[in-house]
Amino acid sequence: MGFKRGVILCCFCVFLVSCCCLVNGGDIVHHDDVAPKRPGCNNNFVLVKVPTWVNGEEVTQFVGIGARFGPTLESKEKRANQTRLAFADPPDCCSTPRNKLTGEAILVHRGNCSFTTKAKVAEAAGASAIIIVNNQTELFKMVCGPDKSDVDIGIPAVMLPQDAGTTLIEFLWNSSAVSVQLYSPKRPAVDVAEVFLWLMAVITILCASYWSAWSAREAAIEQDKFLKDGTDDYGGKEVTHSGGVLDINMISALLFVVVASCFLIMLYKLMSFWFIEILVVLFCIGGVEGLQTCLVTLLSCFRWFEHAQESFVKVPLLGPVSYLTLAISPFCLAFAVMWAVFRRVSIAWIGQDILGMALIITVLQIIRVPNLKVGTVLLTCAFFYDIFWVFVSKWLFHKSVMIEVARGDKSGEEGIPMLLKIPRMFDPWGGYSIIGFGDIILPGLVVAFSLRYDWLCNKSLRAGYFLWTMTAYGLGLFVTYVALNLMDGRGQPALLYMVPFTLGTFLMLGAKRGDLKHLWTRGEPYRPCPHIQLQPAE
């Protein structure tokens, strides 16, 4: 148990501090306070789909970004016109094109004059749209010039990355008939993926809480039997059973912000392809341990596996290991390796979520808050930690550190693995809705504590604290998703909403019922005759 607990604790430290925010799979509306809006230059920066046809056959589709100026683009593909494409001569379109235009979309190079100058020249020459090719692989936001005069441009302007522009120029040089469409589809207001992600988070905490409470109750019953049989040696002293469980203390709760911040900065600074590979290995190790622990515990409930679970063999470095664990381990290892190898395929998110949920459930079983005082300090620290690294860090690092890490923007096409994610459904832009492990584990520690307290106190569901704390967590997560959608998909610090709901409900309910002092200091009922009060759960 010591080795397994060490592995889980290592993964807990690595994964918990790294991501405590909600984001979607990429914004389609970009805001820019540096380039303020003014008449004729007040468009949002929206992503634009550019499907391309060569000789009447669709060959590819590019993604560009719309300009601050010009008319807004059509959002429906069926309403967007298919327009013939022409290459500007001169290529920069800073002077009147020598080629005659009759409503074509004109492809131009960036540079030598302002974006608005290019658009005005293209419009005067008869172009129906202007597509500007960037001189870099990234997209650049096209704003208006520094002068304060109104901008009156009647054709849409879109920028494409350098590689897309190179491909289009090759098509045109081959004397092919090239045509394009320009449209910017809108995301649905509510995506089904967010509903499923909400359910996954809630179910994960439910499973972890019941497992934790059941383990605590069984340990308490064993303790009661020991106290009853050994009354002469009891002497009124309290006997505790760790059972491989680690209680968070006040120092650990206070150090959370410091350790979490240092590790988050390390992720932000070192984020790269090779660093992602290291995180994948760590995630697989933790996922194997978590999946193995969950499966062994689940199978042990069946009579067919009782003997295999109770029979042990000594393994070097690991010590005594049950036969059931030995039988399950190869499957868990193979599952994690398969996910790691094929994690870039479209359905790999299923494996990632299974490993992630198993790891979270195991963490919530092993790591516990002993009382509401420690839980309050931990969640309060996490509350300010989340707000700082999502919002305030923009002033220090010019970007939101938490959101950058959550999206893995510096890691290429692949993000960090310590997330639960589901593909956005019915979304023309695709992407994923994600939630960080910290958004489940941190509130989950307090929710699991509430159920342990209820069971040890023999409280009914309605008279206890778990029902209301669990409901508050679900409501807080729901409000987080509402805020995420109201903010056009910009990342939100989930703990900003979930901590007040979850912790606030627990504290107010405890104060109203008169249990707050007991919850705050002791965290479990005082049982002078514990073997009389506690009965095995049926």
Side-chain angles (χ1 to χ4, degrees):
M1 184 64 182
F3 175 78
K4 180 178 295 185
R5 185 172 69 171
V7 172
I8 295 297
L9 288 178
C10 176
C11 295
F12 170 77
C13 295
V14 171
F15 297 148
L16 177 60
V17 302
S18 59
C19 186
C20 295
C21 68
L22 283 180
V23 300
N24 59 32
D27 297 341
I28 61 171
V29 178
H30 302 261
H31 304 268
D32 193 342
D33 297 331
V34 179
K37 297 180 179 180
R38 67 174 191 265
C41 194
N42 54 4
N43 294 339
N44 288 324
F45 295 107
V46 296
L47 294 181
V48 181
K49 289 194 174 186
V50 187
T52 305
W53 288 262
V54 176
N55 296 327
E57 295 185 5
E58 186 174 359
V59 292
T60 187
Q61 179 174 269
F62 304 108
V63 175
I65 187 171
R68 184 69 106 183
F69 51 86
T72 57
L73 291 164
E74 181 60 57
S75 61
K76 301 290 185 181
E77 180 182 8
K78 60 182 179 181
R79 297 179 183 174
N81 295 325
Q82 186 174 328
T83 309
R84 190 178 178 90
L85 184 67
F87 189 54
D89 182 18
D92 57 14
C93 199
C94 291
S95 57
T96 303
R98 288 187 282 270
N99 47 337
K100 295 181 179 179
L101 301 175
T102 56
E104 291 89 349
I106 188 170
L107 185 69
V108 306
H109 284 306
R110 178 185 174 184
N112 299 330
C113 61
S114 67
F115 297 122
T116 51
T117 298
K118 294 176 186 291
K120 289 179 180 179
V121 170
E123 183 181 11
S128 60
I130 181 171
I131 301 176
I132 300 176
V133 179
N134 197 13
N135 52 17
Q136 300 175 7
T137 55
E138 297 83 9
L139 291 172
F140 185 85
K141 295 177 180 178
M142 296 187 291
V143 298
C144 301
D147 60 305
K148 302 299 182 181
S149 59
D150 293 351
V151 179
D152 184 16
I153 295 175
I155 61 173
V158 175
M159 172 169 283
L160 289 180
Q162 188 177 42
D163 53 350
T166 301
T167 302
L168 287 177
I169 292 172
E170 289 178 358
F171 290 155
L172 291 171
W173 281 351
N174 291 332
S175 301
S176 303
V178 182
S179 56
V180 296
Q181 261 185 326
L182 304 176
Y183 67 102
S184 179
K186 297 180 180 178
R187 263 195 174 129
V190 178
D191 194 88
V192 181
E194 294 173 354
V195 177
F196 284 106
L197 204 59
W198 182 90
L199 286 173
M200 286 171 56
V202 170
I203 290 172
T204 299
I205 291 183
L206 279 172
C207 294
S209 298
Y210 274 96
W211 185 10
S212 178
W214 178 81
S215 299
R217 185 166 187 141
E218 291 298 309
I221 291 172
E222 291 298 320
Q223 174 182 330
D224 294 349
K225 291 179 180 179
F226 170 78
L227 295 177
K228 181 180 179 181
D229 297 337
T231 306
D232 295 338
D233 299 328
Y234 174 40
K237 296 181 182 179
E238 183 180 1
V239 180
T240 59
H241 285 247
S242 62
V245 173
L246 177 67
D247 285 339
I248 300 175
N249 55 33
M250 285 292 295
I251 297 177
S252 300
L254 291 171
L255 285 177
F256 166 79
V257 173
V258 178
V259 176
S261 298
C262 292
F263 190 79
L264 187 65
I265 293 175
M266 183 180 71
L267 282 177
Y268 177 72
K269 294 294 186 180
L270 300 180
M271 188 66 67
S272 60
F273 173 80
W274 67 267
F275 197 72
I276 288 292
E277 296 296 318
I278 295 176
L279 293 179
V280 167
V281 172
L282 291 175
F283 176 74
C284 288
I285 294 173
V288 168
E289 289 295 334
L291 187 60
Q292 171 188 288
T293 303
C294 291
L295 289 178
V296 168
T297 303
L298 182 63
L299 293 176
S300 298
C301 299
F302 298 94
R303 294 181 179 178
W304 309 296
F305 301 100
E306 285 183 0
H307 180 71
Q309 175 61 8
E310 295 172 357
S311 302
F312 294 85
V313 61
K314 263 195 170 183
V315 178
L317 300 179
L318 301 181
V321 178
S322 69
Y323 285 103
L324 182 58
T325 301
L326 285 178
I328 292 296
S329 297
F331 165 77
C332 298
L333 181 60
F335 186 87
V337 171
M338 286 287 290
W339 172 81
V341 173
F342 298 102
R343 66 183 184 274
R344 295 180 180 87
V345 302
S346 59
I347 61 172
W349 61 272
I350 300 175
Q352 180 172 330
D353 289 349
I354 292 174
L355 292 172
M357 291 175 68
L359 177 58
I360 292 171
I361 291 173
T362 305
V363 165
L364 290 176
Q365 161 64 16
I366 293 178
I367 301 176
R368 301 180 181 179
V369 291
N371 51 52
L372 194 52
K373 180 181 180 180
V374 173
T376 300
V377 172
L378 178 64
L379 286 190
T380 302
C381 291
F383 175 80
F384 290 106
Y385 161 83
D386 212 10
I387 294 174
F388 179 86
W389 290 110
V390 172
F391 292 143
V392 183
S393 61
K394 294 179 181 179
W395 300 96
L396 300 176
F397 297 87
H398 306 293
K399 290 183 179 180
S400 173
V401 173
M402 184 76 75
I403 294 176
E404 289 286 308
V405 170
R407 289 179 177 158
D409 288 351
K410 297 180 180 179
S411 61
E413 297 296 325
E414 186 180 3
I416 59 177
M418 59 280 278
L419 304 163
L420 299 184
K421 65 180 186 178
I422 296 181
R424 295 183 62 89
M425 305 174 190
F426 312 111
D427 190 330
W429 290 101
Y432 293 88
S433 290
I434 64 176
I435 182 171
F437 285 1
D439 300 327
I440 302 175
I441 294 177
L442 287 168
L445 290 169
V446 173
V447 175
F449 164 73
S450 69
L451 186 59
R452 289 197 305 274
Y453 183 85
D454 289 351
W455 279 26
L456 293 175
C457 291
N458 288 326
K459 289 181 177 289
S460 65
L461 192 62
R462 180 174 293 184
Y465 294 94
F466 172 73
L467 174 63
W468 311 109
T469 308
M470 187 72 244
T471 302
Y473 172 80
L475 185 59
L477 184 56
F478 171 77
V479 172
T480 307
Y481 279 114
V482 172
L484 183 67
N485 285 281
L486 291 177
M487 298 296 178
D488 293 322
R490 286 180 287 180
Q492 293 295 303
L495 297 180
L496 170 65
Y497 308 95
M498 288 190 289
V499 168
F501 273 89
T502 306
L503 188 60
T505 299
F506 205 168
L507 290 172
M508 288 189 294
L509 196 59
K512 182 179 180 180
R513 293 176 175 176
D515 296 333
L516 186 57
K517 184 177 180 180
H518 205 142
L519 287 164
W520 188 261
T521 56
R522 184 177 175 86
E524 63 179 35
Y526 177 72
R527 296 178 280 117
C529 299
H531 56 278
I532 296 176
Q533 294 188 23
L534 267 179
Q535 298 296 329
E538 298 180 357

